[in-house]
mmCIF file of all heavy atoms in Angstrom:
data_model
loop_
_atom_site.group_PDB
_atom_site.id
_atom_site.type_symbol
_atom_site.label_atom_id
_atom_site.label_comp_id
_atom_site.label_asym_id
_atom_site.label_seq_id
_atom_site.Cartn_x
_atom_site.Cartn_y
_atom_site.Cartn_z
ATOM 1 N N LEU A 293 0.618 177.693 -35.494
ATOM 2 C CA LEU A 293 0.758 178.877 -34.643
ATOM 3 C C LEU A 293 0.183 180.120 -35.323
ATOM 4 O O LEU A 293 -0.414 180.980 -34.667
ATOM 5 C CB LEU A 293 2.237 179.096 -34.289
ATOM 6 C CG LEU A 293 2.863 178.011 -33.378
ATOM 7 C CD1 LEU A 293 4.358 178.285 -33.232
ATOM 8 C CD2 LEU A 293 2.175 178.005 -32.027
ATOM 9 N N LYS A 294 0.412 180.218 -36.633
ATOM 10 C CA LYS A 294 -0.124 181.381 -37.357
ATOM 11 C C LYS A 294 -1.645 181.402 -37.295
ATOM 12 O O LYS A 294 -2.262 182.417 -37.028
ATOM 13 C CB LYS A 294 0.354 181.351 -38.801
ATOM 14 C CG LYS A 294 -0.079 182.578 -39.596
ATOM 15 C CD LYS A 294 0.299 182.416 -41.065
ATOM 16 C CE LYS A 294 1.797 182.298 -41.206
ATOM 17 N NZ LYS A 294 2.191 182.231 -42.647
ATOM 18 N N GLY A 295 -2.241 180.206 -37.519
ATOM 19 C CA GLY A 295 -3.710 180.163 -37.467
ATOM 20 C C GLY A 295 -4.223 180.436 -36.071
ATOM 21 O O GLY A 295 -5.226 181.118 -35.868
ATOM 22 N N LEU A 296 -3.532 179.874 -35.062
ATOM 23 C CA LEU A 296 -3.975 180.085 -33.697
ATOM 24 C C LEU A 296 -3.799 181.550 -33.278
ATOM 25 O O LEU A 296 -4.623 182.139 -32.595
ATOM 26 C CB LEU A 296 -3.192 179.168 -32.747
ATOM 27 C CG LEU A 296 -3.663 179.125 -31.299
ATOM 28 C CD1 LEU A 296 -5.110 178.637 -31.224
ATOM 29 C CD2 LEU A 296 -2.746 178.205 -30.481
ATOM 30 N N GLY A 297 -2.675 182.165 -33.720
ATOM 31 C CA GLY A 297 -2.471 183.576 -33.396
ATOM 32 C C GLY A 297 -3.517 184.468 -34.054
ATOM 33 O O GLY A 297 -3.995 185.426 -33.462
ATOM 34 N N GLY A 298 -3.879 184.168 -35.307
ATOM 35 C CA GLY A 298 -4.933 184.941 -35.957
ATOM 36 C C GLY A 298 -6.244 184.820 -35.226
ATOM 37 O O GLY A 298 -7.002 185.783 -35.130
ATOM 38 N N ALA A 299 -6.493 183.625 -34.676
ATOM 39 C CA ALA A 299 -7.754 183.433 -33.942
ATOM 40 C C ALA A 299 -7.779 184.293 -32.696
ATOM 41 O O ALA A 299 -8.765 184.952 -32.384
ATOM 42 C CB ALA A 299 -7.931 181.962 -33.589
ATOM 43 N N PHE A 300 -6.663 184.288 -31.937
ATOM 44 C CA PHE A 300 -6.603 185.101 -30.726
ATOM 45 C C PHE A 300 -6.671 186.599 -31.060
ATOM 46 O O PHE A 300 -7.250 187.393 -30.328
ATOM 47 C CB PHE A 300 -5.317 184.805 -29.938
ATOM 48 C CG PHE A 300 -5.420 183.513 -29.145
ATOM 49 C CD1 PHE A 300 -4.553 182.462 -29.416
ATOM 50 C CD2 PHE A 300 -6.380 183.374 -28.153
ATOM 51 C CE1 PHE A 300 -4.638 181.293 -28.704
ATOM 52 C CE2 PHE A 300 -6.459 182.203 -27.433
ATOM 53 C CZ PHE A 300 -5.595 181.146 -27.702
ATOM 54 N N THR A 301 -6.048 187.054 -32.180
ATOM 55 C CA THR A 301 -6.084 188.477 -32.575
ATOM 56 C C THR A 301 -7.490 188.914 -32.885
ATOM 57 O O THR A 301 -7.947 189.993 -32.490
ATOM 58 C CB THR A 301 -5.159 188.691 -33.781
ATOM 59 O OG1 THR A 301 -3.839 188.291 -33.422
ATOM 60 C CG2 THR A 301 -5.154 190.149 -34.200
ATOM 61 N N GLY A 302 -8.235 188.054 -33.612
ATOM 62 C CA GLY A 302 -9.617 188.393 -33.932
ATOM 63 C C GLY A 302 -10.473 188.507 -32.698
ATOM 64 O O GLY A 302 -11.324 189.376 -32.561
ATOM 65 N N MET A 303 -10.218 187.587 -31.734
ATOM 66 C CA MET A 303 -11.002 187.621 -30.499
ATOM 67 C C MET A 303 -10.679 188.882 -29.700
ATOM 68 O O MET A 303 -11.543 189.509 -29.099
ATOM 69 C CB MET A 303 -10.708 186.369 -29.648
ATOM 70 C CG MET A 303 -11.217 185.080 -30.284
ATOM 71 S SD MET A 303 -10.705 183.620 -29.362
ATOM 72 C CE MET A 303 -11.452 183.996 -27.800
ATOM 73 N N THR A 304 -9.401 189.349 -29.680
ATOM 74 C CA THR A 304 -9.008 190.531 -28.930
ATOM 75 C C THR A 304 -9.608 191.792 -29.541
ATOM 76 O O THR A 304 -10.104 192.676 -28.840
ATOM 77 C CB THR A 304 -7.484 190.654 -28.889
ATOM 78 O OG1 THR A 304 -6.968 189.455 -28.331
ATOM 79 C CG2 THR A 304 -7.049 191.839 -28.048
ATOM 80 N N GLY A 305 -9.584 191.920 -30.851
ATOM 81 C CA GLY A 305 -10.127 193.124 -31.510
ATOM 82 C C GLY A 305 -11.610 193.256 -31.292
ATOM 83 O O GLY A 305 -12.144 194.333 -31.134
ATOM 84 N N ASN A 306 -12.334 192.208 -31.297
ATOM 85 C CA ASN A 306 -13.785 192.271 -31.148
ATOM 86 C C ASN A 306 -14.215 192.335 -29.694
ATOM 87 O O ASN A 306 -15.257 192.868 -29.345
ATOM 88 C CB ASN A 306 -14.442 191.077 -31.818
ATOM 89 C CG ASN A 306 -14.213 191.085 -33.328
ATOM 90 O OD1 ASN A 306 -14.094 192.162 -33.912
ATOM 91 N ND2 ASN A 306 -14.140 189.917 -33.924
ATOM 92 N N GLY A 307 -13.362 191.806 -28.831
ATOM 93 C CA GLY A 307 -13.773 191.743 -27.417
ATOM 94 C C GLY A 307 -13.509 193.016 -26.655
ATOM 95 O O GLY A 307 -14.111 193.254 -25.621
ATOM 96 N N ASN A 308 -12.614 193.939 -27.034
ATOM 97 C CA ASN A 308 -12.276 195.138 -26.285
ATOM 98 C C ASN A 308 -13.159 196.316 -26.658
ATOM 99 O O ASN A 308 -12.939 197.430 -26.234
ATOM 100 C CB ASN A 308 -10.793 195.515 -26.505
ATOM 101 C CG ASN A 308 -9.880 194.457 -25.893
ATOM 102 O OD1 ASN A 308 -10.259 193.806 -24.928
ATOM 103 N ND2 ASN A 308 -8.672 194.368 -26.449
ATOM 104 N N GLY A 309 -14.119 196.137 -27.521
ATOM 105 C CA GLY A 309 -15.026 197.241 -27.886
ATOM 106 C C GLY A 309 -14.449 198.195 -28.872
ATOM 107 O O GLY A 309 -14.958 199.272 -29.042
ATOM 108 N N GLY A 310 -13.350 197.881 -29.462
ATOM 109 C CA GLY A 310 -12.713 198.758 -30.437
ATOM 110 C C GLY A 310 -13.420 198.677 -31.757
ATOM 111 O O GLY A 310 -14.473 198.063 -31.924
ATOM 112 N N ALA A 311 -12.842 199.338 -32.677
ATOM 113 C CA ALA A 311 -13.400 199.324 -34.024
ATOM 114 C C ALA A 311 -13.295 197.952 -34.585
ATOM 115 O O ALA A 311 -12.350 197.206 -34.317
ATOM 116 C CB ALA A 311 -12.655 200.337 -34.912
ATOM 117 N N PRO A 312 -14.292 197.611 -35.341
ATOM 118 C CA PRO A 312 -14.248 196.282 -35.956
ATOM 119 C C PRO A 312 -13.057 196.181 -36.879
ATOM 120 O O PRO A 312 -12.601 197.143 -37.447
ATOM 121 C CB PRO A 312 -15.571 196.179 -36.702
ATOM 122 C CG PRO A 312 -15.994 197.588 -36.935
ATOM 123 C CD PRO A 312 -15.474 198.380 -35.770
ATOM 124 N N ALA A 313 -12.613 195.011 -36.982
ATOM 125 C CA ALA A 313 -11.444 194.752 -37.840
ATOM 126 C C ALA A 313 -11.785 195.052 -39.261
ATOM 127 O O ALA A 313 -12.900 194.818 -39.715
ATOM 128 C CB ALA A 313 -10.980 193.307 -37.688
ATOM 129 N N ALA A 314 -10.846 195.640 -39.900
ATOM 130 C CA ALA A 314 -11.052 195.975 -41.312
ATOM 131 C C ALA A 314 -11.153 194.705 -42.108
ATOM 132 O O ALA A 314 -10.509 193.701 -41.801
ATOM 133 C CB ALA A 314 -9.886 196.843 -41.812
ATOM 134 N N PRO A 315 -12.014 194.804 -43.109
ATOM 135 C CA PRO A 315 -12.142 193.606 -43.959
ATOM 136 C C PRO A 315 -10.808 193.300 -44.618
ATOM 137 O O PRO A 315 -10.060 194.186 -44.991
ATOM 138 C CB PRO A 315 -13.226 193.990 -44.959
ATOM 139 C CG PRO A 315 -13.221 195.473 -44.968
ATOM 140 C CD PRO A 315 -12.843 195.936 -43.589
ATOM 141 N N ALA A 316 -10.606 192.082 -44.688
ATOM 142 C CA ALA A 316 -9.343 191.623 -45.281
ATOM 143 C C ALA A 316 -9.346 191.903 -46.747
ATOM 144 O O ALA A 316 -10.317 191.627 -47.452
ATOM 145 C CB ALA A 316 -9.143 190.123 -45.036
ATOM 146 N N VAL A 317 -8.310 192.564 -47.167
ATOM 147 C CA VAL A 317 -8.153 192.875 -48.584
ATOM 148 C C VAL A 317 -7.160 191.899 -49.150
ATOM 149 O O VAL A 317 -6.061 191.739 -48.600
ATOM 150 C CB VAL A 317 -7.657 194.325 -48.778
ATOM 151 C CG1 VAL A 317 -7.475 194.630 -50.255
ATOM 152 C CG2 VAL A 317 -8.636 195.281 -48.144
ATOM 153 N N PRO A 318 -7.554 191.281 -50.150
ATOM 154 C CA PRO A 318 -6.610 190.298 -50.731
ATOM 155 C C PRO A 318 -5.356 191.004 -51.186
ATOM 156 O O PRO A 318 -5.425 192.020 -51.853
ATOM 157 C CB PRO A 318 -7.386 189.682 -51.895
ATOM 158 C CG PRO A 318 -8.454 190.652 -52.216
ATOM 159 C CD PRO A 318 -8.802 191.366 -50.955
ATOM 160 N N PRO A 319 -4.224 190.503 -50.751
ATOM 161 C CA PRO A 319 -2.968 191.131 -51.168
ATOM 162 C C PRO A 319 -2.721 190.895 -52.635
ATOM 163 O O PRO A 319 -3.321 190.030 -53.263
ATOM 164 C CB PRO A 319 -1.926 190.415 -50.297
ATOM 165 C CG PRO A 319 -2.538 189.085 -50.032
ATOM 166 C CD PRO A 319 -4.022 189.316 -49.931
ATOM 167 N N PRO A 320 -1.875 191.743 -53.160
ATOM 168 C CA PRO A 320 -1.548 191.541 -54.572
ATOM 169 C C PRO A 320 -0.816 190.232 -54.758
ATOM 170 O O PRO A 320 -0.273 189.642 -53.836
ATOM 171 C CB PRO A 320 -0.650 192.743 -54.908
ATOM 172 C CG PRO A 320 -0.081 193.149 -53.590
ATOM 173 C CD PRO A 320 -1.150 192.898 -52.575
ATOM 174 N N ALA A 321 -0.885 189.793 -55.939
ATOM 175 C CA ALA A 321 -0.250 188.516 -56.281
ATOM 176 C C ALA A 321 1.221 188.579 -55.956
ATOM 177 O O ALA A 321 1.925 189.484 -56.388
ATOM 178 C CB ALA A 321 -0.454 188.214 -57.769
ATOM 179 N N ALA A 322 1.578 187.668 -55.117
ATOM 180 C CA ALA A 322 2.987 187.619 -54.699
ATOM 181 C C ALA A 322 3.810 186.956 -55.770
ATOM 182 O O ALA A 322 3.372 186.025 -56.437
ATOM 183 C CB ALA A 322 3.123 186.858 -53.384
ATOM 184 N N ARG A 323 4.949 187.497 -55.886
ATOM 185 C CA ARG A 323 5.875 186.943 -56.864
ATOM 186 C C ARG A 323 6.591 185.751 -56.236
ATOM 187 O O ARG A 323 7.036 185.804 -55.105
ATOM 188 C CB ARG A 323 6.882 188.022 -57.281
ATOM 189 C CG ARG A 323 6.205 189.242 -57.903
ATOM 190 C CD ARG A 323 7.243 190.268 -58.318
ATOM 191 N NE ARG A 323 8.117 189.707 -59.343
ATOM 192 C CZ ARG A 323 9.167 190.374 -59.864
ATOM 193 N NH1 ARG A 323 9.450 191.577 -59.453
ATOM 194 N NH2 ARG A 323 9.919 189.796 -60.786
ATOM 195 N N VAL A 324 6.623 184.776 -56.969
ATOM 196 C CA VAL A 324 7.237 183.526 -56.480
ATOM 197 C C VAL A 324 8.728 183.633 -56.657
ATOM 198 O O VAL A 324 9.201 183.787 -57.786
ATOM 199 C CB VAL A 324 6.699 182.310 -57.236
ATOM 200 C CG1 VAL A 324 7.360 181.035 -56.721
ATOM 201 C CG2 VAL A 324 5.190 182.238 -57.101
ATOM 202 N N PRO A 325 9.457 183.597 -55.540
ATOM 203 C CA PRO A 325 10.919 183.653 -55.698
ATOM 204 C C PRO A 325 11.429 182.354 -56.303
ATOM 205 O O PRO A 325 10.884 181.276 -56.056
ATOM 206 C CB PRO A 325 11.408 183.855 -54.274
ATOM 207 C CG PRO A 325 10.342 183.282 -53.420
ATOM 208 C CD PRO A 325 9.048 183.565 -54.139
ATOM 209 N N VAL A 326 12.428 182.554 -57.066
ATOM 210 C CA VAL A 326 13.030 181.401 -57.770
ATOM 211 C C VAL A 326 14.412 181.201 -57.222
ATOM 212 O O VAL A 326 15.201 182.143 -57.177
ATOM 213 C CB VAL A 326 13.084 181.637 -59.292
ATOM 214 C CG1 VAL A 326 13.750 180.448 -59.974
ATOM 215 C CG2 VAL A 326 11.690 181.873 -59.823
#
Side-chain angles (χ1 to χ4, degrees):
L293 293 174
K294 184 186 298 184
L296 188 60
F300 282 118
T301 301
M303 292 174 59
T304 303
N306 296 330
N308 293 331
V317 179
R323 300 181 63 183
V324 179
V326 178

